[in-house]
Amino acid sequence: MHLCTRQTLNSSVAVACALLASICIDFVGTAEARNLVSLTGQSGPDLRPDLSGRVTLKTTTPGNGTAGRATVKAGSFSHTLVAKIGVGTPPQELSVQIDSGSSLFWVRSPVCEGCAGEGAQGAYDSGKSETYVAIEDDKRTITYGDNTHVECKLARDSVTVGDFIVHQQTLCEADVVDSNAGYTDGLIGLGPPTAGSATDIIRSMVNEKLIAEPLVSFWYAQNAEFNGDNAGEITFGGIDPSRYVGDMHWFPVLADAPRHWSVPLDYVMVDGTVMRHQRGRAVFDTGTTQVLLPPRSFHEIVRRFGFVQLESQPNLYTISCENAANLPPVSFSIGANRTLFTLSGEQHVFKADVGGRKTECLLIYAPSFASLNVDAIFGALFLRNFYTVFDYQNVRTGLAVAAHDSFISSGRKLIYSSTFLGVWGLSLALAYLL
């Protein structure tokens, strides 16, 4: 899913697109989209994966005057990716969530109120850094979609990411973190440059000529656990062509939703039936676990697929793992070219132990809600099927089918271009309107 040029639609599809364009849900506000799933029975609130000995794949040596790229191995935190970084001089190792759904870079301090393991080794102690610079009277507060609340103060220090050392990077020291979704040592917000973040680490990498291209790419391992190691890779400064197959499809950030990696959502189709209320805005968010959909679409999926609400966690739905492979397709029409992304079978579920019970097959979808101020969020359980690139120069998101043995051997097609849809696309559009 990564590089897609705009294609010319035939006249029938163009008519359908014009009709569909008249039905629109307004995008309101600017929420921080990050939304994590927490499971009962998981061991404690401190869910940082063990990243000790994590290997970095290096392509250039920092400081030699040649910009390059660095790929870091990542662990899993509620199926989102967590990477090891160093903050300060000498570097203090921290495990931080890498979140495209927000724009603030924060790390927890040893005096953090409400944090798991207060004073533990994982916290960033600015007093132990030789390169720390305080920024007076500049505080930030942020509340995420899962109601995690963070209060922090801005500072500057050296940050090590893979092979790169970013000097005097602006970050935020958190002295309050209130969360029910577990904890990491912090979070690097990778929102688009149009978000105007004071802690934009990609801008710093570009200014210091560390990266060859202003790109960040995500690849997810298919067998990753809910919380664990070996969950994927994050590449700063380029694209790894070995990690995807087929074409790349690009989606420019919407002018009326500049704070997120946003995209038009044309419709959602469940088992061949187009939902009637889907036109609106969606965001690509590596910091959200599930796929959040408009409530009517979500409940239609639950009804048609036969999922049952978990008694222990009413926000999660389960189905027999034996039946998961036979689940029908759900398709999403995304972008100005109405590219169709289709998931089916076991792609609709993720496996996890809940409350000490046997492994459950849980639905990857959840209903969106008004405070998010977006119609849909494509979180990690959607993005795990695709190689995802965030392009800071052209302010766009790229998706291509991820290179996984299960996809390649099955010949499963996950992306259809608008020219493939042809007259079939027109019939879908008319069915949507009637």
Side-chain angles (χ1 to χ4, degrees), residues 415-426:
I415 309 175
Y416 296 89
S417 66
S418 55
T419 53
F420 169 86
L421 296 176
V423 176
W424 183 64
L426 175 63

PDB file of all heavy atoms in Angstrom, residues 415-426:
ATOM      1  N   ILE A 415      -6.041  -4.680  -1.508  1.00  0.00           N
ATOM      2  CA  ILE A 415      -6.250  -3.321  -2.015  1.00  0.00           C
ATOM      3  C   ILE A 415      -6.733  -3.385  -3.457  1.00  0.00           C
ATOM      4  O   ILE A 415      -6.163  -4.096  -4.278  1.00  0.00           O
ATOM      5  CB  ILE A 415      -4.959  -2.489  -1.953  1.00  0.00           C
ATOM      6  CG1 ILE A 415      -4.336  -2.554  -0.557  1.00  0.00           C
ATOM      7  CG2 ILE A 415      -5.227  -1.048  -2.333  1.00  0.00           C
ATOM      8  CD1 ILE A 415      -3.000  -1.846  -0.462  1.00  0.00           C
ATOM      9  N   TYR A 416      -7.776  -2.629  -3.746  1.00  0.00           N
ATOM     10  CA  TYR A 416      -8.292  -2.522  -5.110  1.00  0.00           C
ATOM     11  C   TYR A 416      -8.321  -1.053  -5.494  1.00  0.00           C
ATOM     12  O   TYR A 416      -8.835  -0.214  -4.754  1.00  0.00           O
ATOM     13  CB  TYR A 416      -9.705  -3.094  -5.215  1.00  0.00           C
ATOM     14  CG  TYR A 416      -9.778  -4.571  -4.925  1.00  0.00           C
ATOM     15  CD1 TYR A 416      -9.969  -5.033  -3.625  1.00  0.00           C
ATOM     16  CD2 TYR A 416      -9.643  -5.516  -5.929  1.00  0.00           C
ATOM     17  CE1 TYR A 416     -10.024  -6.385  -3.342  1.00  0.00           C
ATOM     18  CE2 TYR A 416      -9.699  -6.872  -5.658  1.00  0.00           C
ATOM     19  CZ  TYR A 416      -9.895  -7.295  -4.353  1.00  0.00           C
ATOM     20  OH  TYR A 416      -9.949  -8.641  -4.077  1.00  0.00           O
ATOM     21  N   SER A 417      -7.759  -0.742  -6.684  1.00  0.00           N
ATOM     22  CA  SER A 417      -7.761   0.637  -7.136  1.00  0.00           C
ATOM     23  C   SER A 417      -9.112   0.985  -7.718  1.00  0.00           C
ATOM     24  O   SER A 417      -9.937   0.128  -8.024  1.00  0.00           O
ATOM     25  CB  SER A 417      -6.679   0.839  -8.201  1.00  0.00           C
ATOM     26  OG  SER A 417      -7.002   0.093  -9.366  1.00  0.00           O
ATOM     27  N   SER A 418      -9.346   2.291  -7.937  1.00  0.00           N
ATOM     28  CA  SER A 418     -10.642   2.744  -8.443  1.00  0.00           C
ATOM     29  C   SER A 418     -10.897   2.234  -9.858  1.00  0.00           C
ATOM     30  O   SER A 418     -12.043   1.995 -10.237  1.00  0.00           O
ATOM     31  CB  SER A 418     -10.687   4.274  -8.419  1.00  0.00           C
ATOM     32  OG  SER A 418      -9.597   4.814  -9.137  1.00  0.00           O
ATOM     33  N   THR A 419      -9.844   2.042 -10.665  1.00  0.00           N
ATOM     34  CA  THR A 419     -10.078   1.566 -12.024  1.00  0.00           C
ATOM     35  C   THR A 419     -10.559   0.120 -12.015  1.00  0.00           C
ATOM     36  O   THR A 419     -11.293  -0.305 -12.894  1.00  0.00           O
ATOM     37  CB  THR A 419      -8.787   1.667 -12.849  1.00  0.00           C
ATOM     38  OG1 THR A 419      -7.723   1.013 -12.165  1.00  0.00           O
ATOM     39  CG2 THR A 419      -8.417   3.116 -13.085  1.00  0.00           C
ATOM     40  N   PHE A 420     -10.148  -0.661 -10.994  1.00  0.00           N
ATOM     41  CA  PHE A 420     -10.626  -2.029 -10.877  1.00  0.00           C
ATOM     42  C   PHE A 420     -12.127  -2.057 -10.627  1.00  0.00           C
ATOM     43  O   PHE A 420     -12.841  -2.939 -11.098  1.00  0.00           O
ATOM     44  CB  PHE A 420      -9.903  -2.737  -9.725  1.00  0.00           C
ATOM     45  CG  PHE A 420     -10.506  -4.068  -9.354  1.00  0.00           C
ATOM     46  CD1 PHE A 420     -10.131  -5.218 -10.032  1.00  0.00           C
ATOM     47  CD2 PHE A 420     -11.442  -4.169  -8.346  1.00  0.00           C
ATOM     48  CE1 PHE A 420     -10.681  -6.444  -9.705  1.00  0.00           C
ATOM     49  CE2 PHE A 420     -11.998  -5.389  -8.015  1.00  0.00           C
ATOM     50  CZ  PHE A 420     -11.620  -6.536  -8.691  1.00  0.00           C
ATOM     51  N   LEU A 421     -12.637  -1.058  -9.902  1.00  0.00           N
ATOM     52  CA  LEU A 421     -14.039  -1.086  -9.507  1.00  0.00           C
ATOM     53  C   LEU A 421     -14.968  -0.933 -10.711  1.00  0.00           C
ATOM     54  O   LEU A 421     -16.021  -1.549 -10.778  1.00  0.00           O
ATOM     55  CB  LEU A 421     -14.311   0.023  -8.485  1.00  0.00           C
ATOM     56  CG  LEU A 421     -13.568  -0.137  -7.155  1.00  0.00           C
ATOM     57  CD1 LEU A 421     -13.852   1.079  -6.266  1.00  0.00           C
ATOM     58  CD2 LEU A 421     -13.963  -1.410  -6.453  1.00  0.00           C
ATOM     59  N   GLY A 422     -14.595  -0.063 -11.660  1.00  0.00           N
ATOM     60  CA  GLY A 422     -15.376   0.095 -12.874  1.00  0.00           C
ATOM     61  C   GLY A 422     -16.858   0.295 -12.640  1.00  0.00           C
ATOM     62  O   GLY A 422     -17.292   1.028 -11.760  1.00  0.00           O
ATOM     63  N   VAL A 423     -17.688  -0.370 -13.455  1.00  0.00           N
ATOM     64  CA  VAL A 423     -19.131  -0.242 -13.350  1.00  0.00           C
ATOM     65  C   VAL A 423     -19.623  -0.801 -12.021  1.00  0.00           C
ATOM     66  O   VAL A 423     -20.608  -0.334 -11.462  1.00  0.00           O
ATOM     67  CB  VAL A 423     -19.819  -0.971 -14.531  1.00  0.00           C
ATOM     68  CG1 VAL A 423     -21.331  -0.919 -14.383  1.00  0.00           C
ATOM     69  CG2 VAL A 423     -19.404  -0.331 -15.850  1.00  0.00           C
ATOM     70  N   TRP A 424     -18.895  -1.791 -11.458  1.00  0.00           N
ATOM     71  CA  TRP A 424     -19.265  -2.341 -10.159  1.00  0.00           C
ATOM     72  C   TRP A 424     -19.275  -1.239  -9.105  1.00  0.00           C
ATOM     73  O   TRP A 424     -20.132  -1.166  -8.248  1.00  0.00           O
ATOM     74  CB  TRP A 424     -18.276  -3.426  -9.768  1.00  0.00           C
ATOM     75  CG  TRP A 424     -18.594  -4.106  -8.473  1.00  0.00           C
ATOM     76  CD1 TRP A 424     -19.670  -4.870  -8.174  1.00  0.00           C
ATOM     77  CD2 TRP A 424     -17.793  -4.068  -7.284  1.00  0.00           C
ATOM     78  NE1 TRP A 424     -19.597  -5.329  -6.878  1.00  0.00           N
ATOM     79  CE2 TRP A 424     -18.450  -4.854  -6.313  1.00  0.00           C
ATOM     80  CE3 TRP A 424     -16.582  -3.470  -6.959  1.00  0.00           C
ATOM     81  CZ2 TRP A 424     -17.938  -5.039  -5.041  1.00  0.00           C
ATOM     82  CZ3 TRP A 424     -16.070  -3.654  -5.689  1.00  0.00           C
ATOM     83  CH2 TRP A 424     -16.752  -4.430  -4.747  1.00  0.00           C
ATOM     84  N   GLY A 425     -18.287  -0.291  -9.205  1.00  0.00           N
ATOM     85  CA  GLY A 425     -18.244   0.821  -8.283  1.00  0.00           C
ATOM     86  C   GLY A 425     -19.469   1.705  -8.416  1.00  0.00           C
ATOM     87  O   GLY A 425     -20.004   2.210  -7.434  1.00  0.00           O
ATOM     88  N   LEU A 426     -19.952   1.906  -9.640  1.00  0.00           N
ATOM     89  CA  LEU A 426     -21.150   2.699  -9.840  1.00  0.00           C
ATOM     90  C   LEU A 426     -22.354   2.037  -9.195  1.00  0.00           C
ATOM     91  O   LEU A 426     -23.169   2.687  -8.539  1.00  0.00           O
ATOM     92  CB  LEU A 426     -21.401   2.903 -11.344  1.00  0.00           C
ATOM     93  CG  LEU A 426     -22.707   3.627 -11.694  1.00  0.00           C
ATOM     94  CD1 LEU A 426     -22.683   5.037 -11.135  1.00  0.00           C
ATOM     95  CD2 LEU A 426     -22.905   3.649 -13.209  1.00  0.00           C
TER      96      LEU A 426
END
